[in-house]
Protein backbone atom coordinates (compact mmCIF):
# COMPACT_ATOMS: atom_id res chain seq x y z
CA UNK A 1 0.00 0.00 0.00
CA UNK A 2 2.78 2.43 0.93
CA UNK A 3 4.56 1.62 -2.32
CA UNK A 4 1.39 2.34 -4.33
CA UNK A 5 0.84 5.60 -2.46
CA UNK A 6 4.44 6.66 -3.15
CA UNK A 7 3.97 5.88 -6.85
CA UNK A 8 0.74 7.92 -6.99
CA UNK A 9 2.43 10.86 -5.28
CA UNK A 10 5.32 10.68 -7.76
CA UNK A 11 2.90 10.70 -10.69
CA UNK A 12 0.94 13.62 -9.19
CA UNK A 13 4.13 15.60 -8.59
CA UNK A 14 5.34 14.94 -12.14
CA UNK A 15 2.00 16.08 -13.54
CA UNK A 16 2.13 19.26 -11.45
CA UNK A 17 5.59 20.09 -12.70
CA UNK A 18 4.47 20.01 -16.32
CA UNK A 19 1.10 21.65 -15.68
CA UNK A 20 0.36 25.16 -17.01
CA UNK A 21 0.96 26.60 -13.54
CA UNK A 22 4.64 25.72 -13.89
CA UNK A 23 4.96 26.35 -17.65
CA UNK A 24 6.96 29.30 -18.95
CA UNK A 25 5.08 32.30 -20.30
CA UNK A 26 5.40 32.33 -24.09
CA UNK A 27 5.98 35.85 -25.40
CA UNK A 28 6.03 36.26 -29.18
CA UNK A 29 8.29 38.99 -30.57
CA UNK A 30 6.76 39.71 -33.98
CA UNK A 31 8.99 41.90 -36.13
CA UNK A 32 8.40 43.68 -39.45
CA UNK A 33 10.50 41.18 -41.36
CA UNK A 34 13.13 38.56 -40.66
CA UNK A 35 16.73 39.08 -41.76
CA UNK A 36 16.79 42.69 -40.49
CA UNK A 37 19.83 43.38 -38.30
CA UNK A 38 17.92 45.83 -36.11
CA UNK A 39 15.35 43.22 -35.16
CA UNK A 40 17.97 40.50 -34.75
CA UNK A 41 19.59 42.78 -32.15
CA UNK A 42 16.17 43.37 -30.54
CA UNK A 43 15.78 39.60 -30.27
CA UNK A 44 19.13 39.41 -28.49
CA UNK A 45 17.78 41.83 -25.90
CA UNK A 46 14.54 39.87 -25.65
CA UNK A 47 16.51 36.70 -24.89
CA UNK A 48 18.45 38.60 -22.20
CA UNK A 49 15.15 39.64 -20.60
CA UNK A 50 13.83 36.07 -20.73
CA UNK A 51 16.97 34.80 -19.03
CA UNK A 52 16.61 37.41 -16.31
CA UNK A 53 12.90 36.72 -15.80
CA UNK A 54 13.51 32.93 -15.80
CA UNK A 55 9.89 31.94 -16.55
CA UNK A 56 9.68 33.32 -20.10
CA UNK A 57 10.13 31.68 -23.49
CA UNK A 58 10.62 33.96 -26.51
CA UNK A 59 9.08 33.11 -29.88
CA UNK A 60 10.96 35.27 -32.40
CA UNK A 61 9.05 35.53 -35.65
CA UNK A 62 8.08 37.75 -38.57
CA UNK A 63 7.24 37.59 -42.28
CA UNK A 64 9.85 37.26 -45.03
CA UNK A 65 8.77 40.65 -46.40
CA UNK A 66 7.51 43.64 -44.45
CA UNK A 67 3.76 43.29 -45.11
CA UNK A 68 0.72 43.55 -42.88
CA UNK A 69 -0.72 40.41 -44.49
CA UNK A 70 2.33 38.39 -43.43
CA UNK A 71 2.07 39.63 -39.85
CA UNK A 72 -1.70 38.95 -39.69
CA UNK A 73 -1.07 35.34 -40.70
CA UNK A 74 1.56 35.00 -37.97
CA UNK A 75 -0.68 36.55 -35.30
CA UNK A 76 -3.49 34.13 -36.17
CA UNK A 77 -1.05 31.27 -35.67
CA UNK A 78 0.05 32.68 -32.31
CA UNK A 79 -3.56 32.97 -31.15
CA UNK A 80 -4.00 29.28 -31.95
CA UNK A 81 -0.85 28.53 -29.92
CA UNK A 82 -2.35 30.41 -26.96
CA UNK A 83 0.77 32.48 -26.27
CA UNK A 84 0.78 34.66 -23.15
CA UNK A 85 1.73 37.88 -24.95
CA UNK A 86 2.41 39.31 -28.39
CA UNK A 87 4.93 42.13 -28.75
CA UNK A 88 4.81 43.50 -32.30
CA UNK A 89 6.45 46.13 -34.52
CA UNK A 90 3.63 46.80 -36.96
CA UNK A 91 3.85 47.09 -40.73
CA UNK A 92 0.41 48.78 -40.75
CA UNK A 93 -1.23 50.29 -37.63
CA UNK A 94 -4.80 49.86 -38.85
CA UNK A 95 -4.70 46.56 -40.74
CA UNK A 96 -3.31 44.70 -37.72
CA UNK A 97 -5.74 46.10 -35.15
CA UNK A 98 -8.64 43.64 -35.76
CA UNK A 99 -6.55 40.46 -35.43
CA UNK A 100 -4.75 41.84 -32.36
CA UNK A 101 -8.11 42.75 -30.78
CA UNK A 102 -9.09 39.12 -31.33
CA UNK A 103 -5.90 38.09 -29.53
CA UNK A 104 -6.75 40.32 -26.57
CA UNK A 105 -10.29 38.91 -26.48
CA UNK A 106 -8.64 35.49 -25.99
CA UNK A 107 -6.71 36.81 -22.97
CA UNK A 108 -3.42 37.44 -24.79
CA UNK A 109 -1.56 40.58 -23.72
CA UNK A 110 -0.69 42.71 -26.76
CA UNK A 111 2.00 45.40 -26.84
CA UNK A 112 3.53 47.19 -29.78
CA UNK A 113 7.08 48.51 -29.92
CA UNK A 114 9.15 50.46 -32.46
CA UNK A 115 6.25 50.89 -34.96
CA UNK A 116 2.89 51.20 -33.26
CA UNK A 117 -0.53 49.64 -33.60
CA UNK A 118 -3.76 51.63 -33.43
CA UNK A 119 -4.71 52.22 -29.79
CA UNK A 120 -7.62 49.76 -29.80
CA UNK A 121 -5.31 47.00 -31.06
CA UNK A 122 -2.85 46.96 -28.15
CA UNK A 123 -2.52 47.61 -24.43
CA UNK A 124 0.73 49.60 -24.57
CA UNK A 125 3.11 51.02 -27.15
CA UNK A 126 6.79 51.45 -26.35
CA UNK A 127 8.38 54.10 -28.51
CA UNK A 128 12.16 53.68 -28.80
CA UNK A 129 12.51 57.40 -28.23
CA UNK A 130 10.56 60.65 -28.15
CA UNK A 131 9.14 61.45 -31.59
CA UNK A 132 9.97 65.20 -31.43
CA UNK A 133 13.55 64.43 -30.39
CA UNK A 134 13.97 62.00 -33.30
CA UNK A 135 12.65 64.55 -35.80
CA UNK A 136 14.98 67.19 -34.40
CA UNK A 137 17.94 64.78 -34.46
CA UNK A 138 17.36 63.90 -38.14
CA UNK A 139 17.34 67.54 -39.19
CA UNK A 140 20.28 68.51 -36.99
CA UNK A 141 22.46 65.73 -38.42
CA UNK A 142 21.50 66.85 -41.92
CA UNK A 143 22.51 70.44 -41.18
CA UNK A 144 25.75 69.24 -39.59
CA UNK A 145 26.57 67.39 -42.82
CA UNK A 146 25.62 69.94 -45.51
CA UNK A 147 25.32 73.27 -43.71
CA UNK A 148 22.28 75.53 -43.49
CA UNK A 149 21.18 75.46 -47.14
CA UNK A 150 20.42 72.83 -49.78
CA UNK A 151 17.85 70.41 -51.15
CA UNK A 152 17.10 67.34 -49.05
CA UNK A 153 14.91 64.26 -49.58
CA UNK A 154 13.52 61.54 -47.34
CA UNK A 155 13.81 57.81 -48.09
CA UNK A 156 11.40 56.01 -45.77
CA UNK A 157 10.20 52.42 -45.25
CA UNK A 158 6.59 51.68 -46.22
CA UNK A 159 4.05 54.45 -46.77
CA UNK A 160 2.02 52.98 -43.87
CA UNK A 161 4.89 52.63 -41.36
CA UNK A 162 3.62 54.40 -38.25
CA UNK A 163 6.97 55.34 -36.78
CA UNK A 164 8.57 56.65 -39.97
CA UNK A 165 5.52 58.77 -40.79
CA UNK A 166 5.51 60.35 -37.34
CA UNK A 167 9.26 61.06 -37.49
CA UNK A 168 8.95 62.61 -40.95
CA UNK A 169 6.17 64.92 -39.72
CA UNK A 170 8.29 65.91 -36.72
CA UNK A 171 11.26 66.60 -39.03
CA UNK A 172 9.03 68.78 -41.21
CA UNK A 173 8.12 70.84 -38.13
CA UNK A 174 11.81 71.37 -37.39
CA UNK A 175 12.55 72.25 -41.03
CA UNK A 176 9.87 74.95 -40.76
CA UNK A 177 11.81 76.69 -37.99
CA UNK A 178 13.78 79.85 -38.93
CA UNK A 179 17.12 78.19 -38.12
CA UNK A 180 16.57 75.64 -40.92
CA UNK A 181 14.75 77.78 -43.49
CA UNK A 182 17.59 77.20 -46.01
CA UNK A 183 16.97 73.43 -46.09
CA UNK A 184 14.34 72.53 -48.69
CA UNK A 185 12.54 69.16 -48.53
CA UNK A 186 11.95 68.23 -52.18
CA UNK A 187 10.60 64.67 -51.95
CA UNK A 188 9.59 61.73 -49.74
CA UNK A 189 10.01 58.28 -51.31
CA UNK A 190 9.45 54.75 -50.00
CA UNK A 191 11.75 51.75 -50.26
CA UNK A 192 9.39 49.39 -48.38
CA UNK A 193 12.27 48.33 -46.11
CA UNK A 194 13.73 46.32 -49.00
CA UNK A 195 17.38 46.87 -49.83
CA UNK A 196 17.04 46.67 -53.61
CA UNK A 197 14.00 48.96 -53.81
CA UNK A 198 15.53 51.47 -51.38
CA UNK A 199 18.69 51.50 -53.51
CA UNK A 200 16.66 52.18 -56.68
CA UNK A 201 14.66 54.92 -54.95
CA UNK A 202 17.91 56.63 -53.95
CA UNK A 203 19.15 56.45 -57.54
CA UNK A 204 15.83 57.93 -58.66
CA UNK A 205 16.35 60.88 -56.31
CA UNK A 206 19.79 61.55 -57.83
CA UNK A 207 18.24 61.77 -61.30
CA UNK A 208 15.14 63.75 -60.33
CA UNK A 209 16.99 66.28 -58.19
CA UNK A 210 20.44 67.10 -59.60
CA UNK A 211 21.01 69.69 -56.85
CA UNK A 212 20.20 67.27 -54.04
CA UNK A 213 22.55 67.60 -51.05
CA UNK A 214 21.24 65.05 -48.53
CA UNK A 215 19.05 61.99 -48.09
CA UNK A 216 17.42 61.41 -44.71
CA UNK A 217 16.48 57.76 -44.16
CA UNK A 218 14.69 57.03 -40.85
CA UNK A 219 14.98 53.27 -41.49
CA UNK A 220 17.99 50.99 -41.02
CA UNK A 221 17.46 49.31 -44.40
CA UNK A 222 17.02 52.57 -46.28
CA UNK A 223 19.95 54.46 -44.78
CA UNK A 224 22.44 51.70 -45.68
CA UNK A 225 21.00 51.30 -49.18
CA UNK A 226 21.12 55.04 -49.84
CA UNK A 227 24.71 55.29 -48.61
CA UNK A 228 25.73 52.45 -50.95
CA UNK A 229 24.00 54.20 -53.84
CA UNK A 230 25.95 57.39 -53.07
CA UNK A 231 29.21 55.44 -53.15
CA UNK A 232 28.35 53.47 -56.30
CA UNK A 233 27.25 56.60 -58.18
CA UNK A 234 30.47 58.40 -57.14
CA UNK A 235 28.57 61.12 -55.30
CA UNK A 236 30.54 60.99 -52.02
CA UNK A 237 31.18 64.57 -50.98
CA UNK A 238 28.29 66.01 -53.01
CA UNK A 239 25.41 64.09 -51.42
CA UNK A 240 25.39 63.00 -47.78
CA UNK A 241 23.18 60.38 -46.18
CA UNK A 242 21.95 60.41 -42.61
CA UNK A 243 19.17 58.80 -40.62
CA UNK A 244 18.63 55.86 -38.32
CA UNK A 245 21.04 52.97 -38.82
CA UNK A 246 22.97 50.14 -37.19
CA UNK A 247 26.66 50.73 -36.42
CA UNK A 248 27.62 47.31 -37.85
CA UNK A 249 25.97 48.20 -41.17
CA UNK A 250 27.04 51.85 -41.27
CA UNK A 251 30.70 51.77 -40.20
CA UNK A 252 31.91 51.28 -43.78
CA UNK A 253 29.71 54.09 -45.08
CA UNK A 254 31.06 56.46 -42.41
CA UNK A 255 34.59 55.48 -43.42
CA UNK A 256 33.82 56.10 -47.12
CA UNK A 257 32.58 59.61 -46.38
CA UNK A 258 29.04 59.00 -47.66
CA UNK A 259 27.78 59.39 -44.07
CA UNK A 260 29.06 61.90 -41.54
CA UNK A 261 26.77 60.83 -38.71
CA UNK A 262 23.65 58.80 -38.04
CA UNK A 263 21.63 57.90 -34.96
CA UNK A 264 19.84 54.97 -33.35
CA UNK A 265 18.71 53.84 -29.94
CA UNK A 266 20.12 50.59 -28.75
CA UNK A 267 17.91 47.86 -30.32
CA UNK A 268 19.17 45.36 -27.75
CA UNK A 269 17.73 47.57 -25.00
CA UNK A 270 14.51 48.02 -26.99
CA UNK A 271 13.94 44.27 -27.29
CA UNK A 272 14.84 43.80 -23.64
CA UNK A 273 12.52 46.61 -22.49
CA UNK A 274 9.60 45.34 -24.58
CA UNK A 275 9.73 41.87 -23.02
CA UNK A 276 10.11 43.33 -19.54
CA UNK A 277 7.02 45.45 -20.16
CA UNK A 278 5.08 42.43 -21.47
CA UNK A 279 5.92 40.47 -18.33
CA UNK A 280 4.38 43.26 -16.23
CA UNK A 281 1.10 42.88 -18.14
CA UNK A 282 1.14 39.08 -17.87
CA UNK A 283 1.61 39.27 -14.10
CA UNK A 284 -1.18 41.84 -13.79
CA UNK A 285 1.07 44.48 -12.24
CA UNK A 286 -0.03 46.94 -14.94
CA UNK A 287 -3.13 47.09 -17.13
CA UNK A 288 -2.30 49.84 -19.62
CA UNK A 289 -4.18 52.74 -18.09
CA UNK A 290 -2.80 56.28 -18.13
CA UNK A 291 -0.34 56.83 -15.31
CA UNK A 292 0.69 53.18 -15.01
CA UNK A 293 4.39 52.90 -14.17
CA UNK A 294 6.01 50.09 -16.15
CA UNK A 295 9.36 48.63 -15.10
CA UNK A 296 11.79 48.07 -17.96
CA UNK A 297 14.35 46.30 -15.79
CA UNK A 298 17.87 47.65 -16.21
CA UNK A 299 16.63 50.39 -18.60
CA UNK A 300 14.49 52.05 -15.94
CA UNK A 301 10.81 52.81 -15.45
CA UNK A 302 8.41 54.59 -17.80
CA UNK A 303 4.95 56.08 -17.25
CA UNK A 304 2.13 55.50 -19.72
CA UNK A 305 0.47 58.60 -21.19
CA UNK A 306 -3.21 59.02 -22.10
CA UNK A 307 -2.66 57.02 -25.29
CA UNK A 308 -1.01 54.14 -23.46
CA UNK A 309 2.40 55.09 -24.83
CA UNK A 310 5.85 55.63 -23.33
CA UNK A 311 9.31 56.45 -24.69
CA UNK A 312 12.34 54.32 -23.83
CA UNK A 313 15.21 56.78 -24.30
CA UNK A 314 16.79 59.45 -26.51
CA UNK A 315 18.51 58.49 -29.78
CA UNK A 316 22.31 58.36 -29.75
CA UNK A 317 24.60 59.81 -32.42
CA UNK A 318 27.28 57.69 -34.11
CA UNK A 319 30.14 59.08 -36.22
CA UNK A 320 33.78 58.39 -37.05
CA UNK A 321 34.75 58.83 -33.40
CA UNK A 322 32.67 55.93 -32.06
CA UNK A 323 31.06 53.85 -34.81
CA UNK A 324 33.75 51.13 -34.93
CA UNK A 325 33.41 50.54 -31.20
CA UNK A 326 29.64 50.03 -31.38
CA UNK A 327 29.79 48.06 -34.64
CA UNK A 328 31.18 45.16 -32.60
CA UNK A 329 27.92 44.92 -30.64
CA UNK A 330 25.10 45.53 -33.15
Amino acid sequence: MKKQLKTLLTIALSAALVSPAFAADKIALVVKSLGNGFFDAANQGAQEAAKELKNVEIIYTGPAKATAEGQIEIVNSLIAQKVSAIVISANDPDALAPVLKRAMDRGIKVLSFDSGVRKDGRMMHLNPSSNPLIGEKLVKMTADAIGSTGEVAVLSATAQATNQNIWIEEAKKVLAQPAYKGLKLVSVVYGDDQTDKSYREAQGLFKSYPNLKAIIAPTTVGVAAAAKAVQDEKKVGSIYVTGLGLPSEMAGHVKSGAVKSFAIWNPIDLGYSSIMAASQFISGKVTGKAGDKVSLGRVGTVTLDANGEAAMSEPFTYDASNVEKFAKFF
Side-chain angles (χ1 to χ4, degrees), residues 22-35:
F22 287 83
D25 292 322
K26 291 184 178 180
I27 302 180
L29 187 68
V30 183
V31 299
K32 290 182 177 180
S33 61
L34 296 177

Side-chain angles (χ1 to χ4, degrees), residues 82 113 122 165 209 294:
K82 299 180 180 179
F113 78 109
R122 46 77 180 170
N165 289 339
Y209 304 97
V294 184

Side-chain angles (χ1 to χ4, degrees), residues 37-38 40-42 44-45 48 246-249 266-268 318 322-330:
F38 177 88
D40 288 343
Q44 180 183 329
E48 290 176 6
L246 297 174
S248 59
E249 296 177 356
N266 187 327
I268 296 172
Y318 302 87
N322 61 14
V323 68
E324 292 290 349
K325 172 188 172 183
F326 285 98
K328 297 172 183 176
F329 302 108
F330 65 97

Side-chain angles (χ1 to χ4, degrees), residues 170-235:
E170 292 294 342
K172 286 178 179 177
K173 292 178 187 176
V174 179
L175 286 169
Q177 295 174 7
Y180 300 105
K181 63 182 180 181
L183 297 177
K184 182 183 178 184
L185 179 62
V186 294
S187 183
V188 178
V189 297
Y190 303 93
D192 293 343
D193 255 359
Q194 297 174 26
T195 299
D196 54 349
K197 186 176 182 185
S198 298
Y199 183 90
R200 292 195 302 272
E201 290 291 346
Q203 289 179 313
L205 289 171
F206 302 158
K207 294 173 184 175
S208 299
Y209 304 97
N211 295 319
L212 189 69
K213 295 297 181 187
I215 294 177
I216 304 170
T219 156
T220 59
V221 175
V223 73
K228 187 175 188 306
V230 166
Q231 290 172 243
D232 292 349
E233 298 289 336
K234 305 293 191 292
K235 294 188 179 293

Side-chain angles (χ1 to χ4, degrees), residues 226-264:
K228 187 175 188 306
V230 166
Q231 290 172 243
D232 292 349
E233 298 289 336
K234 305 293 191 292
K235 294 188 179 293
V236 172
S238 61
I239 297 178
Y240 288 95
V241 176
T242 191
L244 305 176
L246 297 174
S248 59
E249 296 177 356
M250 298 303 294
H253 300 306
V254 171
K255 189 174 182 179
S256 77
V259 175
K260 282 192 176 179
S261 66
F262 64 96
I264 199 73

